[in-house]
């Protein structure tokens, strides 16, 4: 729950930062620049604090994951053989079956720390866990799709880091009252709202795919979670309706958000007439 909430604040901070940055760089409402600078600081600091919270909660969650679902961590690293200490690979190019690396860029001891909290901790490998699970649960494959878990784990981390870096760049660009004007920063800012969304999405894909073939780890296989009272036609129809419905809502929501973002603070409002003067026309009331 804390990890998910931190990811939500990361997305919210990125959106506020992007809107404020867009107005500041374009400079079409110079009188409102102080308000947008304030919004930029609020959004960027929210993004940075949320990024730190995501890292801390993710680190804690990763250690719990190693205790209850060790195969998921092994799959996230494509670690086939138990190692102590274990390195974290930033990039791995392997054989076609994925069982042997050909080229790697690694950070020594990092996987051990992420898994156990110790720089020299032991991390179980895929082959050893597969052998254990065959003895515990019977014949079968207990390995998730390794390329999916490996790359979604890194995409989750990478998109989050990029979001924090763009927020930090935006803060630096408006230091000491400066007005950001860098077009590259503007383009990075326009991408900023999508980076946390991509991090959250790939994180969920990693969570669900890394648990396979279990729907409840160690208790129930995914293949046994299929309802026998629901036909394939009903599944297709419901998924189609949900996709169309939420797709339409997403288009409407995005259009409304973009319209509000482009408008900004809008034209200055007319001052309210002083007491005893002509009443201002009623615009809105409950």
């Amino acid at each position: 729950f804390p990890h998910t909430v931190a990811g939500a604040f990361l997305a919210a901070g990125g959106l506020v930062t992007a809107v404020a940055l867009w107005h500041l760089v374009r400079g079409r409402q110079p009188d409102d620049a102080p308000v947008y600078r304030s919004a930029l600081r609020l959004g960027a600091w929210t993004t940075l604090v949320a990024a730190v919270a995501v890292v801390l909660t993710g680190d804690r969650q990763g250690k719990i994951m190693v205790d209850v679902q060790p195969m998921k961590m092994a799959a996230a690293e494509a670690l086939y053989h138990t190692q102590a200490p274990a390195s974290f690979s930033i990039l791995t190019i392997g054989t076609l079956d994925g069982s042997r690396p050909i080229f790697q860029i690694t950070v020594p001891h990092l996987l051990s720390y992420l898994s156990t909290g110790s720089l020299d901790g032991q991390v179980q490998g895929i082959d050893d866990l597969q052998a254990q699970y065959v003895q515990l649960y019977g014949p079968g494959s207990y390995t998730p799709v390794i390329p999916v878990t490996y790359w979604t784990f890194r995409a989750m981390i990478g998109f989050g880091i990029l979001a924090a870096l763009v927020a930090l760049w935006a803060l630096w660009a408006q230091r000491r009252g400066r007005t950001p004007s860098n077009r590259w920063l503007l383009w990075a800012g326009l991408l900023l709202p999508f980076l946390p969304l991509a991090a959250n999405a790939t994180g969920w894909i990693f969570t669900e795919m890394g648990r396979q073939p279990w729907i409840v780890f160690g208790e129930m296989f995914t293949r046994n979670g299929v309802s026998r009272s629901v036909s394939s036609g009903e599944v297709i129809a419901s998924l189609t309706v949900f996709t169309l419905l939420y797709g339409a809502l997403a288009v409407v929501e995005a259009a409304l958000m973009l319209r509000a973002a482009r408008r900004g603070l809008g034209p200055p409002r007319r001052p309210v007439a002083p007491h005893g003067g002509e009443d201002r026309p009623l615009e809105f009331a409950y």
Side-chain angles (χ1 to χ4, degrees):
F1 177 76
H3 194 60
T4 303
V5 170
F9 273 100
L10 187 68
L15 178 62
V16 173
T17 304
V19 174
L21 184 62
W22 187 77
H23 283 286
L24 282 173
V25 173
R26 287 167 59 89
R28 293 188 176 181
Q29 298 176 359
D31 293 339
D32 297 329
V35 178
Y36 291 127
R37 275 199 291 269
S38 178
L40 176 60
R41 288 193 296 271
L42 175 62
W45 277 113
T46 299
T47 303
L48 292 174
V49 172
V52 173
V54 166
V55 171
L56 294 178
T57 55
D59 176 68
R60 176 58 181 161
Q61 189 169 313
K63 291 174 173 57
I64 296 174
M65 181 178 70
V66 171
D67 290 335
V68 298
Q69 299 182 50
M71 179 63 85
K72 185 183 288 187
M73 179 58 82
E77 179 54 29
L79 182 71
Y80 280 84
H81 306 292
T82 300
Q83 293 182 12
S87 302
F88 180 85
S89 66
I90 299 175
L91 173 66
T92 295
I93 299 175
T95 55
L96 291 178
D97 61 0
S99 62
R100 182 172 56 85
I102 298 174
F103 173 79
Q104 285 185 308
I105 301 175
T106 62
V107 179
H109 300 272
L110 182 56
L111 183 62
S112 289
Y113 179 78
L114 293 175
S115 301
T116 66
S118 170
L119 292 175
D120 297 315
Q122 184 183 80
V123 183
Q124 292 180 288
I126 294 171
D127 291 341
D128 299 305
L129 290 168
Q130 169 66 21
Q132 292 179 27
Y133 293 164
V134 167
Q135 293 181 352
L136 284 173
Y137 308 114
S141 174
Y142 300 92
T143 303
V145 181
I146 303 301
V148 174
T149 53
Y150 181 89
W151 288 112
T152 52
F153 188 66
R154 278 147 188 80
M156 172 186 67
I157 297 173
F159 287 131
I161 291 175
L162 285 176
L165 290 176
V166 173
L168 189 62
W169 185 8
L171 277 176
W172 176 259
Q174 59 91 56
R175 69 193 186 282
R176 298 177 182 175
R178 291 179 172 87
T179 299
S181 58
N182 191 309
R183 291 290 172 177
W184 289 107
L185 175 58
L186 175 60
W187 284 109
L190 293 177
L191 290 176
L192 180 56
F194 300 99
L195 295 175
L197 294 178
N200 293 339
T202 51
W204 277 114
I205 292 172
F206 165 73
T207 296
E208 301 303 324
M209 292 294 293
R211 190 185 60 248
Q212 300 306 315
W214 303 99
I215 194 170
V216 180
F217 187 84
E219 299 291 338
M220 184 179 185
F221 290 110
T222 301
R223 64 174 181 266
N224 296 331
V226 178
S227 175
R228 298 180 180 179
S229 63
V230 180
S231 67
S232 58
E234 290 171 325
V235 173
I236 293 173
S238 62
L239 287 177
T240 301
V241 171
F242 278 129
T243 300
L244 293 175
L245 175 62
Y246 282 99
L249 290 174
V251 171
V252 172
E253 181 182 2
L256 291 174
M257 291 178 67
L258 286 174
R259 187 171 68 178
R262 289 194 187 101
R263 184 174 63 244
L265 299 180
R269 298 181 178 181
R270 291 178 296 174
V272 178
H275 183 68
E278 183 181 353
D279 289 338
R280 181 179 178 184
L282 182 64
E283 294 180 351
F284 179 82
Y286 284 104

